[in-house]
Amino acid sequence: MANHLYEKGLEIRKVVIGEEFVEKAIKNANDFNQPLQELVTEYCWGKIWAREGLSMKTRSMLNLAMLTALNRPDEMKIHVRGALTNGVTKEEIKEIYLQTAIYCGLPAAIDSFKLAQQVFDELEVDE
Amino acid sequence: MANHLYEKGLEIRKVVIGEEFVEKAIKNANDFNQPLQELVTEYCWGKIWAREGLSMKTRSMLNLAMLTALNRPDEMKIHVRGALTNGVTKEEIKEIYLQTAIYCGLPAAIDSFKLAQQVFDELEVDE
Amino acid sequence: MANHLYEKGLEIRKVVIGEEFVEKAIKNANDFNQPLQELVTEYCWGKIWAREGLSMKTRSMLNLAMLTALNRPDEMKIHVRGALTNGVTKEEIKEIYLQTAIYCGLPAAIDSFKLAQQVFDELEVDE
Amino acid sequence: MANHLYEKGLEIRKVVIGEEFVEKAIKNANDFNQPLQELVTEYCWGKIWAREGLSMKTRSMLNLAMLTALNRPDEMKIHVRGALTNGVTKEEIKEIYLQTAIYCGLPAAIDSFKLAQQVFDELEVDE
Amino acid sequence: MANHLYEKGLEIRKVVIGEEFVEKAIKNANDFNQPLQELVTEYCWGKIWAREGLSMKTRSMLNLAMLTALNRPDEMKIHVRGALTNGVTKEEIKEIYLQTAIYCGLPAAIDSFKLAQQVFDELEVDE
Amino acid sequence: MANHLYEKGLEIRKVVIGEEFVEKAIKNANDFNQPLQELVTEYCWGKIWAREGLSMKTRSMLNLAMLTALNRPDEMKIHVRGALTNGVTKEEIKEIYLQTAIYCGLPAAIDSFKLAQQVFDELEVDE
């Protein structure tokens, strides 16, 4: 398991998503979901997020837009936290979601605003 | 029709999408699609794209990601052109679409790569 | 095959979609798609469209909205024709699609406006 | 903020969604989601729902169909209430959802039936 | 109600989804959702699942893949149980979901892994 | 580039999708889409299709179901060819698509039937 892609991915994943969250995901991995943990760590984080062509901040912004379209609340909350870590401001999250209202429709944007608010409340993020 | 929001939207829309394209869309508007032209110009361009919280370049990047998830080829081609106009490089478009491969799935990313290539060919965009 | 549901469905399907279109679909059916033709005729037309709780006009309107969300151009064009047959006016189609712009996003609505315009042009529908 | 579109939208929104719900949404608005509240009120309600080409009842019916396709449970529950207010009967909601089963698939329809039942239970709606 | 399609569908539905679950769904049916229960039993189970061209196990596998793409958590949990009943192993469910990661995107696959784990925990399924 | 995963993926990809098709895709790769070609070959084919837990035939069947839900015509046609190569019969493709009619809705299934028929016509596949 301990290959280069996995190691690099693990490092970036911890920076963006949080060491505690990632440690827990790995510790809780069982025979059933272990290959998913590897796939996520290697491909998503080691292969794509590790690429240099876009800043981590931009990648986080893209994810907030995509996850609104994809309708995946759990991942959205994880990536709102990641976005804050990567320097996306609350103001910018607002702008991203307003733009999703136009392209993905209002119900999608409304859901994203609610999910982000939950994360802000959990993290006690002020303006 | 000639309200402030419409005028502001029209100006931005022409800058991003191209004067020729927009003039044609407006000239071809008929009773059926005229209110759509207004909604697009006012709501999408005058209300959202006109906001200051994100750069035009960032807004274009978000659109390339969202339109991949939303599966709308015609709009994608229009916004690939717009992205180039707004300073998104071919390298950056590549990075955005690689990231969509992870989150939206490979078939979505493959379609977007093909559509962008068509635009590059039409515009004779080199590296 | 010649059961009651199929017969009832066939009749309604011909009224809404057009006798010529349906005859052709049935004549062109082969071993591969024959069970689909039956499912469509019985389940969609004989079972649901035959129900009395909504007018045919309302059912057509719902379809224009749903097919915008579902992103299925071929079916949309068929159901724009069906909607006209069922008494949905060009004005009402415009209103339906404007409403989809809000809920499904602008790219979805733009595509539907284009598809309906194609049908109007093919049928030489004036205001 | 107090422009014509916003005022008109606010009025219609209160009629359809309920005064209590809307007052609460506006009171709870903060710097983060305030522009969303405005966008919803002005564009969705002031611009589209205010149009005369379709009855409020028909607009509600379209929403029940679209939101089934779009898979947005929170908005669905709000619009089931709105539909009842706009005169859509429980019988008609049943018919709309049965039609979504055909076009959006059974899992989508099953979810909508469950969500509407929750609203009926909350509102103690009988036949 | 007691037609051949319904009877055949009811039998298969009980085998796959579980007698207790189906009895409860039918007992809880009211005027509102009764026609949905019939549609599900007759068309989904009596018409399609009853066909001989694919094994029940293969049909269950297809559902796990489709429901991942369709993003319907309640139906997914029901069909994870059904898949186990139809002989799909935990190992095979893992493989199916890993494949969805590629085609539907990682967030879709992550959600499915979580939902299946919940079912395994509820049923105390070991390796 | 010439790593183990890429080599293994390339081999499987050629078997399933066809040597000619894959050679052409690789020869036509340019700076823009080269990393996509690698991602597809390594991640999709070398990492997932290479896994032993499911037969190639089953993987092809899952793809036909998923791609119906995902609404990606180009990929569908490629994977209908791949399915035939992997031993999925025309009869089984019919059964898979009939099942998608129930879960993804009729318009999705109708599109898939049409796309597969195009492939059969191109390949002159008889019963």
Side-chain angles (χ1 to χ4, degrees):
Chain A
M1 208 65 39
N3 61 47
H4 175 60
L5 211 57
Y6 184 85
E7 292 308 323
K8 188 165 58 172
L10 190 61
E11 192 186 345
I12 297 171
R13 191 182 177 197
K14 281 181 180 172
V15 169
V16 177
I17 300 300
E19 188 142 359
E20 199 182 359
F21 180 94
V22 177
E23 296 285 14
K24 197 175 138 203
I26 288 167
K27 209 167 67 188
N28 288 347
N30 52 29
D31 283 357
F32 179 61
N33 59 29
Q34 173 63 28
L36 177 72
Q37 285 298 319
E38 285 173 45
L39 199 71
V40 167
T41 304
E42 286 180 35
Y43 279 84
C44 173
W45 297 99
K47 193 86 180 175
I48 300 298
W49 277 81
R51 292 178 65 91
E52 293 191 349
L54 293 175
S55 70
M56 302 293 260
K57 182 177 170 178
T58 297
R59 293 197 183 278
S60 276
M61 293 171 112
L62 297 175
N63 270 19
L64 299 187
M66 272 192 287
L67 289 166
T68 299
L70 295 169
N71 201 4
R72 297 286 174 183
D74 286 3
E75 281 297 292
M76 179 61 91
K77 290 185 72 175
I78 290 169
H79 281 284
V80 169
R81 285 172 182 260
L84 294 168
T85 301
N86 283 335
V88 184
T89 67
K90 211 171 150 178
E91 277 297 311
E92 288 167 327
I93 295 175
K94 173 167 71 181
E95 292 299 328
I96 293 164
Y97 288 161
L98 287 172
Q99 191 168 331
T100 67
I102 300 297
Y103 293 93
C104 310
L106 273 175
I110 290 169
D111 280 358
S112 288
F113 268 97
K114 279 189 213 158
L115 291 163
Q117 187 65 57
Q118 289 173 23
V119 176
F120 298 153
D121 292 349
E122 286 160 23
L123 298 178
E124 300 181 7
V125 173
D126 259 351
E127 215 52 36
Chain B
M1 205 69 34
N3 63 46
H4 173 60
L5 213 55
Y6 183 85
E7 291 309 323
K8 187 164 61 172
L10 190 61
E11 192 186 346
I12 297 172
R13 192 181 176 197
K14 281 181 180 172
V15 170
V16 177
I17 300 301
E19 188 142 358
E20 199 183 359
F21 180 94
V22 177
E23 297 284 14
K24 198 176 137 203
I26 287 167
K27 209 168 67 188
N28 290 346
N30 52 28
D31 283 358
F32 180 61
N33 59 28
Q34 173 63 28
L36 177 72
Q37 285 299 319
E38 285 172 46
L39 196 71
V40 167
T41 304
E42 286 181 36
Y43 173 58
C44 172
W45 296 99
K47 193 84 184 177
I48 300 299
W49 277 80
R51 292 178 65 91
E52 294 191 348
L54 293 175
S55 71
M56 301 293 260
K57 182 177 170 179
T58 297
R59 292 197 185 278
S60 277
M61 294 171 111
L62 298 174
N63 270 19
L64 299 186
M66 271 192 287
L67 289 166
T68 300
L70 295 170
N71 200 4
R72 297 285 173 183
D74 286 2
E75 282 298 292
M76 179 61 91
K77 290 185 72 175
I78 290 168
H79 281 284
V80 169
R81 285 171 181 261
L84 294 168
T85 301
N86 284 336
V88 184
T89 67
K90 212 171 149 178
E91 277 299 310
E92 288 167 327
I93 294 175
K94 172 166 72 181
E95 292 299 328
I96 293 164
Y97 288 161
L98 287 172
Q99 190 168 330
T100 67
I102 299 297
Y103 292 94
C104 310
L106 274 175
I110 290 168
D111 280 358
S112 288
F113 268 97
K114 278 188 213 159
L115 291 163
Q117 187 64 56
Q118 289 174 23
V119 176
F120 299 153
D121 292 349
E122 285 160 23
L123 298 178
E124 300 182 6
V125 174
D126 259 350
E127 213 54 33
Chain C
M1 207 64 38
N3 61 45
H4 173 61
L5 213 54
Y6 183 84
E7 292 309 323
K8 187 165 60 172
L10 191 59
E11 190 186 347
I12 297 172
R13 193 182 176 197
K14 282 181 180 174
V15 170
V16 177
I17 299 302
E19 188 142 358
E20 199 184 359
F21 181 94
V22 177
E23 298 285 13
K24 197 176 138 202
I26 287 168
K27 208 167 70 187
N28 289 346
N30 52 28
D31 282 358
F32 180 60
N33 59 29
Q34 172 63 28
L36 177 72
Q37 286 299 319
E38 285 172 45
L39 197 70
V40 166
T41 304
E42 286 180 36
Y43 174 56
C44 172
W45 296 99
K47 193 83 182 177
I48 300 299
W49 277 79
R51 291 178 66 90
E52 294 191 348
L54 293 175
S55 70
M56 301 292 261
K57 182 176 170 179
T58 296
R59 293 198 183 277
S60 276
M61 293 171 111
L62 298 174
N63 269 22
L64 299 187
M66 272 193 287
L67 289 166
T68 300
L70 295 170
N71 201 3
R72 297 284 173 183
D74 287 2
E75 282 297 293
M76 179 61 90
K77 290 185 71 177
I78 289 168
H79 281 284
V80 170
R81 286 171 181 260
L84 293 169
T85 300
N86 284 334
V88 185
T89 67
K90 212 171 148 179
E91 277 298 309
E92 288 168 327
I93 295 175
K94 172 167 73 180
E95 292 299 327
I96 293 164
Y97 289 162
L98 287 172
Q99 190 168 330
T100 67
I102 298 297
Y103 291 93
C104 310
L106 273 175
I110 290 168
D111 280 359
S112 288
F113 268 97
K114 278 188 214 160
L115 291 163
Q117 187 65 56
Q118 289 174 24
V119 176
F120 299 151
D121 291 349
E122 286 160 24
L123 298 178
E124 300 182 8
V125 173
D126 260 350
E127 215 53 35
Chain D
M1 209 64 39
N3 62 46
H4 175 61
L5 211 56
Y6 184 85
E7 292 309 323
K8 188 165 59 173
L10 191 60
E11 191 186 345
I12 297 171
R13 191 182 178 197
K14 281 182 180 172
V15 169
V16 177
I17 300 302
E19 188 142 359
E20 200 183 358
F21 181 94
V22 177
E23 297 284 14
K24 198 175 139 203
I26 287 167
K27 208 167 70 186
N28 288 348
N30 53 28
D31 282 357
F32 180 60
N33 58 29
Q34 172 62 28
L36 177 71
Q37 285 299 320
E38 285 172 47
L39 199 71
V40 167
T41 304
E42 287 179 36
Y43 280 84
C44 174
W45 296 100
K47 193 85 181 175
I48 300 299
W49 277 80
R51 292 179 66 89
E52 293 191 348
L54 293 175
S55 71
M56 302 293 261
K57 182 176 170 180
T58 297
R59 292 197 183 279
S60 276
M61 293 171 112
L62 297 174
N63 269 20
L64 299 187
M66 272 193 287
L67 289 166
T68 299
L70 294 169
N71 200 3
R72 296 287 173 182
D74 287 2
E75 281 297 291
M76 179 62 90
K77 290 186 71 175
I78 290 168
H79 281 284
V80 169
R81 286 172 182 260
L84 293 169
T85 301
N86 284 335
V88 185
T89 66
K90 213 172 150 179
E91 277 298 310
E92 288 168 327
I93 296 175
K94 172 167 72 181
E95 292 300 326
I96 293 164
Y97 288 162
L98 287 172
Q99 191 168 331
T100 68
I102 300 296
Y103 292 93
C104 310
L106 273 174
I110 290 168
D111 280 358
S112 288
F113 268 97
K114 278 189 213 157
L115 291 163
Q117 186 65 56
Q118 289 173 25
V119 176
F120 298 152
D121 292 349
E122 286 160 23
L123 298 178
E124 300 182 7
V125 173
D126 259 350
E127 215 53 34
Chain E
M1 205 67 38
N3 61 46
H4 175 60
L5 212 56
Y6 184 85
E7 291 309 323
K8 187 164 61 172
L10 190 61
E11 190 186 347
I12 297 172
R13 192 181 177 197
K14 281 182 181 172
V15 170
V16 177
I17 299 301
E19 188 143 358
E20 198 182 0
F21 180 94
V22 177
E23 298 283 15
K24 197 175 139 203
I26 287 168
K27 207 167 70 187
N28 289 347
N30 52 29
D31 283 356
F32 179 61
N33 59 29
Q34 172 64 26
L36 177 72
Q37 285 299 320
E38 285 172 45
L39 199 70
V40 167
T41 304
E42 287 179 35
Y43 279 84
C44 173
W45 296 100
K47 192 87 181 174
I48 300 299
W49 278 79
R51 291 178 66 90
E52 294 192 349
L54 292 176
S55 71
M56 302 293 261
K57 181 176 171 179
T58 297
R59 293 197 183 278
S60 276
M61 294 171 112
L62 297 175
N63 269 19
L64 299 187
M66 273 192 286
L67 289 166
T68 299
L70 294 170
N71 200 5
R72 298 284 173 184
D74 286 2
E75 281 298 291
M76 179 61 91
K77 290 185 71 176
I78 289 169
H79 281 284
V80 169
R81 286 172 181 259
L84 293 169
T85 300
N86 283 335
V88 184
T89 67
K90 211 172 150 179
E91 277 298 310
E92 288 167 327
I93 295 175
K94 173 166 72 180
E95 292 299 327
I96 293 164
Y97 288 161
L98 288 172
Q99 191 168 330
T100 68
I102 300 297
Y103 293 93
C104 310
L106 273 175
I110 290 169
D111 280 359
S112 289
F113 268 97
K114 278 188 213 158
L115 291 163
Q117 187 64 58
Q118 289 173 24
V119 176
F120 299 152
D121 291 350
E122 286 160 23
L123 298 178
E124 300 182 7
V125 174
D126 258 351
E127 214 54 32
Chain F
M1 207 67 36
N3 61 47
H4 173 60
L5 213 56
Y6 184 85
E7 292 308 324
K8 188 164 58 172
L10 191 60
E11 191 186 345
I12 298 172
R13 193 182 176 196
K14 281 181 181 173
V15 169
V16 177
I17 300 300
E19 189 141 0
E20 199 183 358
F21 180 94
V22 177
E23 297 285 14
K24 197 175 139 203
I26 287 167
K27 208 167 69 186
N28 289 347
N30 52 28
D31 283 358
F32 180 61
N33 59 29
Q34 173 61 29
L36 177 72
Q37 286 299 320
E38 285 172 46
L39 196 70
V40 167
T41 304
E42 286 181 36
Y43 174 55
C44 171
W45 297 99
K47 194 81 182 178
I48 300 298
W49 277 80
R51 292 178 65 92
E52 294 190 349
L54 293 176
S55 70
M56 301 293 259
K57 182 177 171 178
T58 297
R59 293 197 183 279
S60 276
M61 293 171 111
L62 297 175
N63 270 20
L64 299 187
M66 271 193 287
L67 289 166
T68 300
L70 295 169
N71 201 3
R72 297 286 173 183
D74 286 2
E75 281 298 293
M76 179 61 90
K77 290 184 72 176
I78 290 169
H79 281 284
V80 169
R81 285 170 182 262
L84 293 169
T85 301
N86 284 335
V88 184
T89 66
K90 212 172 149 179
E91 277 298 310
E92 288 167 327
I93 295 176
K94 173 167 72 181
E95 292 299 328
I96 293 165
Y97 288 161
L98 287 173
Q99 190 168 330
T100 67
I102 298 297
Y103 292 94
C104 309
L106 273 175
I110 290 169
D111 280 358
S112 289
F113 268 96
K114 279 189 213 158
L115 291 163
Q117 186 65 57
Q118 289 173 24
V119 176
F120 299 152
D121 292 348
E122 286 159 24
L123 298 179
E124 300 180 7
V125 173
D126 260 350
E127 213 54 31

